[in-house]
Amino acid sequence: MTTSLSPESLPNRFDHAEACPRLYAWWQSQDLFAADPSRDRRPFTIVIPPPNVTGALHLGHALNNSLQDILIRMKRMQGFETLWMPGTDHAGIATQAVVERRLKEEENLTRHELGRDALVARIWQWKDQYEARIIGQLKQMGCSCDWRRTRFTLDDVCARAVRTTFFDLFRQGLIYRGKRLVNWDTFLQTAVSDDEVSHEEVKGHFWHFRYPVIDPRPGEPTHVTIATTRPETMLGDTAVAIHPDPAAALDAAEANLQDRLTRAAAKERGELLEQIEAIRARRRTMLPALEQLRDMALAGRRLMLPLVDRPIPLVADPWAKPELGSGCVKITPAHDPNDYEVGQRCGLPMVNILNPDGTLNANAGPYQGQTIAAARKRVVADLEALGLLEAVEDRLIELAHSDRSKTPIEPYLADQWFIKMDSLATAAMQAVVEERVRIVPQRYAKGYLDWLGEKRDWPVSRQLWWGHQIPVWSKRVAAAERASLDRQIRALCEANPAATMQWEGADDTAVVPGAQTAGASDQTAAVASLHVCLKQDDPTTIATLESWGLERSPEVLDTWFSSALWPHSTLGWPERTAELEFFYPTSVLITSRDIITLWVARMVLMGLNNLGEAPFSEVFIHPKILDGYGETMSKSKGNGIDPLDVIDKFGPDALRFGMAHLTTETQDVRMPVQFECPHCQTLIEQTKKNRELPRIDCPKCGQPFATQWARNGEDRDLARGAVVSERFEVARNFCNKLWNAARFALIHLDDYAPAPVSDDQLTLEDRWVLSRLATVAEQATAALESYRYADAARGLYDFAWDEFCSFYVEMLKNRLSHADQRAVAQRILAHTLDVLLRLLHPLIPFITEEIWQLLGRVAPQRGLVAPQPTALSIMTAPWPQVDAARQDPAIEAQFARFQAVLGALREIRSRQNIPPKRPIEFAVRCDDRTADLLRPMQPYFLTMAGAAAIAWGPNVQPPATEAAVTLADMDVLVDLKDFIDVAAEIARNEKLAQRLCEQIAGKESKLATPSFVDRAPANIVQRERDALTQLSEQLTATRAVLENLRKMGA
RNA sequence: GGGCGAUUAGCUCAGUUGGUUAGAGCGCUGCCCUUACAAGGCAGAAGUCACAGGUUCGAGUCCUGUAUCGCCCACCA
């Protein structure tokens, strides 16, 4: 790689738009990202949390991937054989929904009209497009993934891992068929997962209905009252429940409240007391009626379900809560998970009333064909007409909406494949408890353990087309047929180890949309289902199975199933590949907290099951990025930031450094968002109001620009305003500072000649900067190794800016102009910059590489003691060793003295408004040692503060007209000659004296407290005494100065 | 309902095991286009560390409670 620029003609800005793609392409051409398991080094592995191919990456991804690349790059420099495994996730429902929606919008087609194969082909096209875009974004961010190994959760390698795992679990008996309430999206006609459902509070009603009792006996109620927020579901009711022991349940409820009362805060007590009182009132007024209803239930009394005129039983079940409502609850087993449980316990039939498109089916009798909303109205009206509507309350209801289609979710029960979690979860919990998997920050381990501790079986089937199709062939078999089929299949499985079978018990309550009523009596018919799982798509076996009437499940697996295998499927498992042997288990997983359970826990569980070893030893959970209002960023809200907008404006290094700078141990990070006017670059604060506008008029230049909401042609033709955050300015400015410091170095290293340097040639500032550098290297390394990214970024920032640039480089300006000092100065400069670049490289890879290349041209041989040739790329340069011998607290303390005097001089200059070019004279009253130390620094006072020293030592006489700054143990006295602003100086000193008095008073009272003097550690007490002495001396000196000034003023 | 977290300068955030006078960046004020950098330099103003108790010789830091905000999980006939 060559650059034709000479150092003097380097631009004063790093041109990231030009340089970054060039550098990235060069890294790739040199194979610097490639991981090779045959190399004799220690492995360090990270698997990327595969981004969904749903769309482009957002700022959360930018954070996540920056943090991974930072670690990867440091480890690579530390000599590890480093693999960062890239890839993307097929993201089941999310991707299918996006493609389906486009299909509808652009071609007005549904997926059923297009057909399964064609739809899947469309989604593959979408995937190719977005995978390319995502990988492009990662590359622009500088991510050093081994791209040759890029995987996709639906590719052949991953598919094989999925098949193998599913088959294995199936054979172990850990996969079974069961019922689960699904969130049915009637628009997309598919089930959606819980995390794709958002709950909104809407105004709704709570209806109280009365169901007539069939043939009430004397003294019995004629009606039973129930309440519901979803009246139309009454068409699917198959019972009304009453608690089997209302008195005991009331006692239990009261005991529970009493227990809470003992722990409750004062504010909550009133409410609890009210509730207790309500229960007591119920015991007095309602208990007899409830017990009567219970007796009726036990006696087998039935109710007449109105509108469809279906007799339904009154059942006794503890799900009914006597402390709530009427004490009776309607039971709709096909549309409510709790009701389903009741149905199971009481042997109730299930009546599904819903078609897949959200209209009511034949089970709804006269309401068949109506939409839910229409049916709801009519059910209420019809019940009212019958005089069975007892009351209507207004109530806020949490209504579930599908994130994908924005339509209300309808819950109903469907057959699903489940994974038994008991043993798998226990193993995954142990891995964390025993710290074989360490979660950082540790507080997140609790959520992981709690979630796994519930051991809720994992429903893994989805009614989708995009995903790994479940490799199970099934048939419902009548009792008569069972024995012969069993014999056939059993023989087949014995002959073929890649086939395994399972009977599903006498379960005839399967409910699918549109299914007819399944009566309780059917259960006795003992129709069982036979399931055969195949490890491979072996055409002969499939043909055989199909000839026997088995059909493959149309369903696909939950997308998290394939994600759970990611750490080993990407390495080629179930093959024992060299990669798997070498790189598994991986080193660390870096992700955000919202998928600790969905993903992290399942990876641990599957890794343990498939390989007997957890997939990683550490999990780092990074913060979440919120907008300026503390809301999560999302494209649908309009407050999301595209990392490419940030890269365009600030550059990829600034994006990464900014991300690291934000990554503290907190769980959230706020990032106020601005629009950038494309005409005048003004930043316009994004508000909740303007973030949804299609166009915005720039308040500065008045010109309009488009936002992501631009829909009509006129708006779309406008220039688009980027959405950015000024929180990246710090990082951008830092990169610029570094670039210019490097420019200074390059300009002054033109005659660099590598020669050994001995310690006695080093000046105070050399020793100081080397000491600081060693400390910073140590701290930055420790910080990055323990995921304290912000500490690393801040430490390096402070050193580079405040110490290297503001002091060391400034001081070099003198020495470089002296021929006899130039060579040593150049050596230390080149060395310091070299080490600093290497420390910064993981954070800001592009700019450090560019400088590294340029530095290599003027100073190819660097090193503190003996010159050494440097690496071709900074990526392969060794990580700086911590040079403990260079750490010198004494030198740092001495340098601090110099800095203090310099600061005092600058303060006086500024206070007195002395023109910058006008030199001043000063004296320092201090002890002899300090004087000896500071005397050689005279040239620096001249160049850095425009101040010439006229005297040093304990007995210097103050100049006639002075301004003074009193430091810890010395006075800096400036001769102000004719330009003193006496009044200003008096005011300043008065203020200072007052502050000193306050501090002295504080210290004195502290030291006068016997308990402090007696009980605090001696060193602390001594420190207070020393401080008091020093403050008193400062006060005396300040008063003397004041007196002098007042004389002058008079 | 359960859990987790936050509250420090106008804004965004640091603040190690409790111990001198609580820091940074942005913004603000003043001076400077000083030959690496105006995306810069020098200096300055700005804080009742959310509130109330407690522990301690000593609390931004530890404990309890309150308020506000946020996130996760569960549930709501």
Side-chain angles (χ1 to χ4, degrees):
Chain A
M1 186 179 52
T2 56
T3 313
S4 58
L5 288 170
S6 69
E8 291 84 348
S9 65
L10 286 171
N12 65 357
R13 294 269 189 276
F14 173 59
D15 182 358
H16 61 254
E18 178 278 323
C20 298
R22 164 169 54 80
L23 292 166
Y24 196 89
W26 180 71
W27 286 331
Q28 279 203 288
S29 73
Q30 302 296 114
D31 274 342
L32 294 176
F33 306 156
D36 181 351
S38 70
R39 280 200 277 250
D40 184 23
R41 301 160 93 183
R42 283 157 64 208
F44 184 86
T45 316
I46 297 180
V47 290
I48 198 169
N52 292 349
V53 290
T54 324
L57 299 187
H58 53 68
L59 210 57
H61 293 111
L63 170 65
N64 178 251
N65 290 294
S66 295
L67 301 185
Q68 292 176 75
D69 197 44
I70 288 166
L71 217 51
I72 282 283
R73 284 179 183 269
M74 176 177 73
K75 291 289 173 180
R76 195 182 282 122
M77 292 171 77
Q78 285 177 337
F80 288 84
E81 186 60 28
T82 310
L83 169 62
W84 187 8
M85 171 66 73
T88 51
D89 194 304
H90 69 281
I93 173 73
T95 316
Q96 181 172 324
V98 169
V99 174
E100 268 192 71
R101 196 163 56 210
R102 261 170 56 113
L103 190 65
K104 188 79 192 167
E105 276 171 15
E106 294 176 6
E107 298 169 53
N108 197 26
L109 286 175
T110 68
R111 76 166 188 272
H112 300 285
E113 287 162 340
L114 194 64
R116 182 162 186 156
D117 291 345
L119 182 83
V120 169
R122 295 282 185 108
I123 306 177
W124 274 102
Q125 283 173 15
W126 176 276
K127 171 258 167 187
D128 288 341
Q129 185 187 339
Y130 275 90
E131 181 187 57
R133 186 154 163 203
I134 287 165
I135 289 173
Q137 285 177 306
L138 291 172
K139 287 180 175 176
Q140 288 191 67
M141 285 168 48
C143 294
S144 57
C145 302
D146 188 349
W147 298 110
R148 304 169 307 164
R149 302 179 185 277
T150 306
R151 295 254 69 85
F152 176 54
T153 51
L154 214 51
D155 68 20
D156 291 343
V157 173
C158 292
R160 183 136 180 249
V162 165
R163 270 305 262 275
T164 307
T165 304
F166 189 91
F167 182 82
D168 171 57
L169 294 172
F170 194 94
R171 196 170 41 187
Q172 287 186 59
L174 292 176
I175 289 188
Y176 69 95
R177 194 89 171 138
K179 296 237 179 301
R180 184 172 187 255
L181 187 85
V182 298
N183 304 303
W184 191 257
D185 182 324
T186 56
F187 180 80
L188 292 168
Q189 300 195 18
T190 177
V192 300
S193 66
D194 289 344
D195 41 287
E196 276 153 338
V197 171
S198 52
H199 292 265
E200 283 171 47
E201 225 175 44
V202 296
K203 280 185 189 165
H205 303 284
F206 199 45
W207 286 274
H208 299 255
F209 298 137
R210 292 158 52 182
Y211 291 176
V213 176
I214 297 175
D215 301 331
R217 306 203 176 139
E220 286 182 355
T222 55
H223 293 85
V224 172
T225 303
I226 54 91
T228 182
T229 54
R230 296 168 64 210
E232 68 285 358
T233 61
M234 62 83 64
L235 300 167
D237 283 0
T238 56
V240 167
I242 174 77
H243 197 280
D245 189 348
L250 285 175
D251 291 346
E254 184 178 338
N256 180 285
L257 288 170
Q258 292 286 5
D259 178 51
R260 276 173 54 195
L261 192 62
T262 60
R263 290 174 291 125
K267 196 188 71 171
E268 292 161 355
R269 295 180 71 88
E271 202 178 318
L272 286 170
L273 286 167
E274 262 176 47
Q275 287 175 22
I276 289 169
E277 194 42 52
I279 288 180
R280 288 179 179 159
R282 273 171 179 264
R283 200 179 282 125
R284 288 191 301 271
T285 59
M286 288 176 63
L287 190 54
L290 291 171
E291 288 182 331
Q292 186 182 27
L293 285 166
R294 185 265 324 272
D295 294 340
M296 289 165 68
L298 295 177
R301 307 303 306 281
R302 299 200 296 174
L303 313 173
M304 182 55 75
L305 186 63
L307 306 182
V308 285
D309 293 330
R310 185 164 69 225
I312 56 171
L314 187 61
V315 298
D317 188 279
W319 167 242
K321 306 282 180 245
E323 68 272 22
L324 292 175
S326 67
C328 293
V329 57
K330 65 195 269 305
I331 302 297
T332 323
H335 294 278
D336 182 284
N338 292 306
D339 291 5
Y340 173 72
E341 299 286 320
V342 177
Q344 294 289 97
R345 281 196 292 270
C346 301
L348 300 173
M350 294 201 298
V351 176
N352 177 35
I353 57 166
L354 215 55
N355 284 319
D357 64 0
T359 59
L360 301 191
N361 64 26
N363 289 334
Y367 303 90
Q368 181 178 7
Q370 297 188 2
T371 64
I372 286 166
R376 175 170 299 177
K377 276 188 191 146
R378 270 200 48 196
V379 164
V380 172
D382 292 349
L383 284 168
E384 188 169 16
L386 291 171
L388 296 174
L389 177 62
E390 189 173 287
V392 186
E393 290 174 54
D394 288 335
R395 194 185 229 209
L396 288 177
I397 301 171
E398 294 260 301
L399 188 60
H401 276 84
S402 166
D403 282 348
R404 303 296 157 192
S405 68
K406 313 292 172 203
T407 55
I409 287 292
E410 297 301 334
Y412 78 86
L413 282 156
D415 284 313
Q416 301 284 332
W417 288 104
F418 285 83
I419 297 181
K420 276 191 193 134
M421 291 292 275
D422 193 5
S423 59
L424 295 170
T426 304
M429 288 170 77
Q430 264 167 1
V432 165
V433 169
E434 292 165 10
E435 299 208 318
R436 279 176 284 132
V437 175
R438 212 167 62 86
I439 299 179
V440 182
Q442 223 194 335
R443 62 174 178 272
Y444 293 113
K446 186 173 163 44
Y448 172 101
L449 292 171
D450 287 352
W451 187 80
L452 282 175
E454 289 181 31
K455 299 187 176 173
R456 296 202 305 194
D457 290 349
W458 175 12
V460 286
S461 48
R462 295 293 125 98
Q463 292 67 42
L464 293 172
W465 290 351
W466 175 242
H468 295 276
Q469 193 175 351
I470 292 176
V472 174
W473 281 255
S474 305
K475 186 182 183 186
R476 289 162 64 79
V477 190
E481 213 192 322
R482 189 169 165 171
S484 66
L485 189 62
D486 183 71
R487 210 174 320 113
Q488 283 175 308
I489 302 278
R490 213 164 280 281
L492 182 139
C493 292
E494 270 161 29
N496 184 353
T500 184
M501 64 183 286
Q502 189 184 104
W503 280 99
E504 181 187 346
D507 176 6
D508 189 35
T509 49
V511 173
V512 289
Q516 296 301 306
T517 309
S521 55
D522 289 353
Q523 286 197 347
T524 54
V527 177
S529 291
L530 176 65
H531 304 293
V532 178
C533 180
L534 297 185
K535 198 171 178 180
Q536 286 115 30
D537 278 346
D538 161 25
T540 320
T541 312
I542 292 173
T544 310
L545 291 174
E546 287 177 353
S547 74
W548 293 338
L550 281 80
E551 280 179 26
R552 183 168 188 177
S553 164
E555 299 176 335
V556 300
L557 285 168
D558 179 9
T559 198
W560 295 108
F561 190 97
S562 51
S563 317
L565 313 179
W566 189 244
H568 54 279
S569 65
T570 49
L571 292 169
W573 185 90
E575 295 293 314
R576 305 296 318 185
T577 59
E579 283 79 2
L580 189 69
E581 298 290 343
F582 188 73
F583 291 113
Y584 191 91
T586 70
S587 309
V588 59
L589 180 84
I590 298 183
T591 188
S592 75
R593 68 174 181 279
D594 36 13
I595 50 176
I596 293 174
T597 52
L598 292 175
W599 190 45
V600 179
R602 285 167 178 166
M603 278 193 287
V604 174
L605 177 151
M606 287 296 200
L608 289 168
N609 183 70
N610 287 351
L611 290 127
E613 212 173 347
F616 28 72
S617 46
E618 299 206 335
V619 178
F620 175 63
I621 305 294
H622 59 70
K624 247 183 115 139
I625 297 181
L626 309 176
D627 73 3
Y629 296 99
E631 296 180 14
T632 47
M633 285 188 173
S634 75
K635 204 163 184 185
S636 55
K637 268 188 217 161
N639 59 354
I641 295 180
D642 183 343
L644 291 189
D645 280 350
V646 176
I647 288 176
D648 282 348
K649 185 173 170 61
F650 298 107
D653 291 321
L655 172 68
R656 298 167 60 111
F657 193 89
M659 288 301 181
H661 204 257
L662 302 170
T663 302
T664 58
E665 272 213 21
T666 53
Q667 55 178 20
D668 297 313
V669 167
R670 267 181 197 226
M671 181 167 283
V673 174
Q674 293 92 35
F675 292 105
E676 188 191 42
C677 171
H679 313 291
C680 67
Q681 277 71 54
T682 300
L683 291 179
I684 299 144
E685 204 61 40
Q686 191 183 72
T687 63
K688 287 185 184 186
K689 275 185 183 170
N690 71 15
R691 76 187 184 196
E692 289 179 3
L693 298 176
R695 64 188 281 172
I696 291 174
D697 293 319
C698 175
K700 182 91 170 282
C701 69
Q703 296 190 69
F705 60 86
T707 72
Q708 64 156 330
W709 306 108
R711 287 291 174 271
N712 67 41
E714 192 191 337
D715 289 343
R716 277 187 170 177
D717 289 343
L718 295 170
R720 194 182 72 91
V723 176
V724 295
S725 176
E726 63 193 358
R727 291 202 65 186
F728 292 101
E729 281 180 7
V730 182
R732 190 260 323 256
N733 294 354
F734 175 68
C735 291
N736 183 240
K737 187 75 177 174
L738 180 71
W739 175 254
N740 281 292
R743 214 157 66 99
F744 171 87
L746 294 167
I747 290 168
H748 291 95
L749 291 175
D750 53 345
D751 57 341
Y752 177 91
V757 171
S758 63
D759 268 15
D760 55 10
Q761 291 174 282
L762 300 179
T763 62
L764 173 66
E765 63 269 25
D766 290 337
R767 291 165 198 271
W768 167 76
V769 83
L770 293 173
S771 171
R772 293 292 309 133
L773 186 63
T775 302
V776 165
E778 183 179 29
Q779 289 170 348
T781 308
L784 288 179
E785 282 179 338
S786 49
Y787 314 107
R788 288 180 290 112
Y789 290 90
D791 285 352
R794 285 166 215 247
L796 290 166
Y797 179 101
D798 290 344
F799 172 75
W801 200 307
D802 299 335
E803 300 186 312
F804 181 63
C805 289
S806 293
F807 281 91
Y808 192 67
V809 166
E810 285 307 316
M811 295 169 84
L812 281 179
K813 286 176 180 173
N814 272 343
R815 291 165 72 197
L816 287 168
S817 59
H818 289 83
D820 57 331
Q821 297 172 36
R822 186 171 168 89
V824 172
Q826 283 177 324
R827 278 292 304 282
I828 308 303
L829 171 61
H831 169 78
T832 307
L833 181 60
D834 173 302
V835 174
L836 181 58
L837 288 173
R838 282 186 279 147
L839 291 171
L840 283 167
H841 176 257
L843 297 159
I844 46 174
F846 292 106
I847 194 169
T848 49
E849 179 73 272
E850 182 79 344
I851 298 169
W852 182 266
Q853 300 298 332
L854 294 165
L855 186 59
R857 288 166 61 196
V858 292
Q861 305 242 318
R862 305 190 286 274
L864 191 54
V865 182
Q868 304 274 331
T870 55
L872 185 67
S873 164
I874 194 171
M875 277 186 67
T876 53
W879 186 251
Q881 295 286 311
V882 173
D883 193 350
R886 290 285 166 198
Q887 292 181 25
D888 189 339
I891 289 283
E892 293 191 22
Q894 288 176 5
F895 198 81
R897 292 262 173 96
F898 161 72
Q899 288 175 305
V901 174
L902 194 72
L905 292 168
R906 285 168 165 176
E907 188 188 337
I908 291 169
R909 288 198 72 112
S910 180
R911 291 278 179 203
Q912 290 295 323
N913 270 324
I914 300 170
K917 285 182 179 129
R918 185 146 184 187
I920 56 173
E921 290 180 348
F922 71 104
V924 178
R925 187 158 49 204
C926 59
D927 60 38
D928 287 320
R929 277 193 52 207
T930 309
D932 291 343
L933 174 78
L934 292 176
R935 214 168 276 120
M937 311 303 274
Q938 280 201 58
Y940 300 128
F941 291 118
L942 207 54
T943 53
M944 295 171 79
I950 47 174
W952 305 89
N955 301 315
V956 300
Q957 289 303 307
T961 53
E962 67 171 316
V965 172
T966 323
L967 300 167
D969 51 1
M970 54 188 162
D971 300 323
V972 179
L973 310 163
V974 175
D975 187 346
L976 294 168
K977 299 209 167 71
D978 49 332
F979 44 73
I980 189 167
D981 180 344
V982 178
E985 204 60 14
I986 288 174
R988 187 179 71 82
N989 279 285
E990 274 174 346
K991 197 174 168 187
L992 178 64
Q994 199 195 334
R995 213 175 64 209
L996 286 168
C997 284
E998 283 163 13
Q999 284 166 12
I1000 286 167
K1003 295 265 180 263
E1004 277 172 344
S1005 84
K1006 197 171 190 178
L1007 284 163
T1009 312
S1011 54
F1012 172 67
V1013 183
D1014 295 346
R1015 307 184 66 161
N1019 62 324
I1020 298 291
V1021 176
Q1022 191 54 46
R1023 201 195 292 174
E1024 290 295 305
R1025 292 214 168 97
D1026 293 348
L1028 178 59
T1029 313
Q1030 217 167 73
L1031 287 168
S1032 304
E1033 282 169 9
Q1034 277 187 51
L1035 182 61
T1036 311
T1038 306
R1039 284 189 170 142
V1041 170
L1042 264 175
E1043 203 175 316
N1044 196 21
L1045 287 164
R1046 290 208 177 95
K1047 260 187 258 165
M1048 286 167 51

